[in-house]
Amino acid sequence: MNALSALNAVSKTANGVTPELNSKLKAGAAETIVTRVKDDPAQRVLRLIDKAPGDLEDVHDELYARALVLNNGEQRVAIVTVDIGSLDGPAVLSAIEEATGIPKTNIAVNWSHTHGAPGVDGRAPAPGSGEWLADALSQLVQRAIDNLQEATLRVGREPAQIGYNRRLMGDDGYIRMEVNPEGAIVPWTDVLGIYGINGTRIAVMFSHAAHPVIVHWASEAITADFPGYAVGHLRNLLDKHSDPQGVLMFAQGCCANINGYPLRGGYDAADSAGLSLAFAAKNALTKAVTVSTKSLRAYALKVSLPYWHPPIESCKTMLEHDPNSRHRERLLRIIDGGSQEFLSYPMSGFAIGDELCMVFLPSETFAEYQLFADEISPFKYTVVFGYTNRSVGYVATKNDYDLDERGGYEASINHRWPLEPSIEAQIREGITQLFCKLK
């Protein structure tokens, strides 16, 4: 039975899924700065990079964390977005669960993967900053819980493109990191508007799939890159027509093989990209439709993706060609030991009523998986996120892994330890299972 047949055959109830309830949905949101506050250096805020106390000139624009909590009286779910390169997802989930009582399976922590923050490109977080951030996000979710009020939801989608696929096949048969106009992208923004029963705006969450690398290496300062500009521009656009209320949240999609454009274009280019995305989000919100909130369901599953085991002679040859490579030394040691290594790939989803579903995928997942989930979803409205809850390496497609050493930065053994080509089928099956359980 194929994925579409399986979804068509599934019943409206599934084991382990909360049944539909008549309770009113409540929503609450909150936000906080997670960089140092420039006008109050003594305030206990996150020092993201290990520099001398008082160094503030390295912060070009503040990084934020935002939280949205939904509660229908029986289920509670939390979505947290953070302007950061990467974070320790399991530690953050544990901290939020302990502080709020929301189970880990009902929490989605999504980071923008801005390359202007720690956790990427060798930017080392300051000592203790991980623990501080976990505590700050726990308090943030609790604040969102404290702000719960009866709510309605609207969902919309609008065409948007601020980046390009970054994997281009060269004349020599090797993948290079260059603009590929024909490559996979996710050419839209999904928008979720959450409103109180009196019409006030509680939150707006908008998502798009593109690496925040427009400022990348053009400046060493801390920056949220285009997502930060997009939030600012969207707030300005919305404030022209209503009171400046509500928390605005950018969520990252599956952009592992999509770069924001232009790469290393600087702050003005990031500002322009953010403005373009904000206009699309505003248009989507204007045309958004109200969805039923009569039920709230959550489901999570863990998938173990096997790493590829190349022939040991190939590993020895690679190490001979690059004897100083720690990556190849480690790979040879593992292959020689005969053990099979796996990448933990936790997937989860939330369903609201019968029409809206949110799917959360971890790590740096290729855009093709978001497109697949959108194509087979049995829900009228489906929003897919990448970079959620766990960040360990790239997750490419079978076609990419089949290229072997020609597979480029994300999928070649020349750059990292690739996964088995069979993992694409595993992930597709997992996405299908999520939909079956949530519908």
Side-chain angles (χ1 to χ4, degrees):
M1 181 181 292
N2 62 29
L4 289 173
S5 298
L7 288 172
N8 290 333
V10 72
S11 65
K12 290 186 178 181
T13 60
N15 293 333
V17 179
T18 301
E20 294 185 355
L21 302 168
N22 294 321
S23 302
K24 298 289 187 179
L25 183 74
K26 294 184 177 180
E31 67 178 10
T32 186
I33 293 174
V34 292
T35 38
R36 292 156 291 172
V37 178
K38 294 181 180 180
D39 56 359
D40 187 6
Q43 185 173 333
R44 184 171 178 260
V45 292
L46 180 61
R47 290 184 58 242
L48 286 169
I49 296 180
D50 194 10
K51 292 193 175 184
D55 268 354
L56 297 175
E57 67 277 2
D58 59 317
V59 178
H60 177 271
D61 52 278
E62 305 291 2
L63 307 182
Y64 281 80
R66 286 126 177 159
L68 172 67
V69 172
L70 303 177
N71 183 352
N72 72 338
E74 181 72 16
Q75 281 270 38
R76 289 191 300 171
V77 301
I79 303 171
V80 181
T81 62
V82 192
D83 296 326
I84 200 165
S86 67
L87 49 74
D88 185 352
V92 171
L93 293 177
S94 295
I96 295 174
E97 180 183 55
E98 181 178 355
T100 66
I102 300 176
K104 297 176 188 177
T105 54
N106 291 30
I107 304 169
V109 181
N110 173 278
W111 49 94
S112 69
H113 196 54
T114 172
H115 281 229
V120 68
D121 285 346
R123 288 178 179 262
S129 63
E131 293 81 357
W132 185 94
L133 183 58
D135 180 62
L137 297 183
S138 300
Q139 295 182 40
L140 178 68
V141 174
Q142 184 58 56
R143 284 176 48 207
I145 293 172
D146 295 340
N147 293 335
L148 284 170
Q149 58 179 292
E150 193 171 330
T152 61
L153 271 62
R154 301 174 196 165
V155 63
R157 174 176 290 184
E158 183 75 4
Q161 181 183 356
I162 63 168
Y164 287 91
N165 188 286
R166 69 186 197 180
R167 291 173 53 81
L168 183 67
M169 179 70 76
D171 293 337
D172 57 1
Y174 282 73
I175 293 291
R176 297 183 178 131
M177 192 176 291
E178 297 179 12
V179 171
N180 178 8
E182 305 301 322
I185 60 169
V186 182
W188 62 71
T189 178
D190 286 314
V191 177
L192 183 65
I194 303 95
Y195 301 87
I197 56 174
N198 58 356
T200 58
R201 192 166 62 238
I202 297 172
V204 174
M205 182 168 63
F206 64 106
S207 65
H208 187 60
H211 254 77
V213 290
I214 298 179
V215 179
H216 183 41
W217 291 336
S219 169
E220 294 184 358
I222 290 175
T223 175
D225 208 280
F226 78 80
Y229 284 106
V231 169
H233 284 304
L234 181 58
R235 181 168 294 284
N236 290 335
L237 291 171
L238 294 176
D239 289 352
K240 291 180 179 180
H241 303 284
S242 60
D243 294 333
Q245 299 168 323
V247 174
L248 307 187
M249 309 169 64
F250 170 83
Q252 186 61 266
C254 296
C255 71
N257 51 345
I258 304 173
N259 273 349
Y261 185 84
L263 177 65
R264 306 169 196 164
Y267 292 110
D268 289 344
D271 189 3
S272 296
L275 179 60
S276 175
L277 182 57
F279 266 114
K282 171 64 168 58
N283 289 339
L285 198 61
T286 300
K287 296 181 284 188
V289 297
T290 302
V291 294
S292 167
T293 58
K294 62 183 179 181
S295 62
L296 179 61
R297 305 180 296 282
Y299 185 78
L301 71 154
K302 294 182 179 179
V303 178
S304 294
L305 306 179
Y307 284 98
W308 178 55
H309 275 221
I312 191 167
E313 291 305 320
S314 298
C315 295
K316 291 179 179 178
T317 300
M318 287 190 298
L319 188 57
E320 288 174 1
H321 291 162
D322 189 2
N324 297 320
S325 171
R326 293 182 180 179
H327 156 64
R328 293 182 177 182
E329 270 188 7
R330 175 177 175 271
L331 179 59
L332 177 59
R333 188 167 58 251
I334 293 173
I335 299 299
D336 193 34
S339 62
Q340 176 65 61
E341 300 289 317
F342 294 87
L343 172 67
S344 176
Y345 193 79
M347 309 163 67
S348 59
F350 305 154
I352 303 170
D354 296 326
E355 297 178 298
L356 174 61
C357 181
M358 290 177 275
V359 174
F360 304 98
L361 302 179
S363 299
E364 299 208 51
T365 297
F366 273 31
E368 285 86 344
Y369 293 102
Q370 181 168 352
L371 297 173
F372 169 77
D374 189 77
E375 178 185 359
I376 73 159
S377 175
F379 291 85
K380 187 175 182 179
Y381 307 104
T382 303
V383 185
V384 183
F385 306 80
Y387 299 87
T388 303
N389 290 350
R390 186 172 177 83
S391 179
V392 183
Y394 284 91
V395 179
T397 68
K398 182 180 185 302
N399 287 339
D400 298 298
Y401 290 127
D402 282 343
L403 292 171
D404 197 2
E405 64 177 13
R406 298 180 294 117
Y409 176 73
E410 303 90 350
S412 166
I413 198 168
N414 292 329
H415 298 278
R416 64 192 70 254
W417 192 3
L419 297 164
E420 287 277 2
S422 61
I423 64 97
E424 177 172 344
Q426 283 185 265
I427 295 174
R428 285 177 171 236
E429 182 180 350
I431 291 171
T432 303
Q433 182 179 345
L434 276 177
F435 287 136
C436 288
K437 293 293 187 179
L438 289 169
K439 188 61 175 170

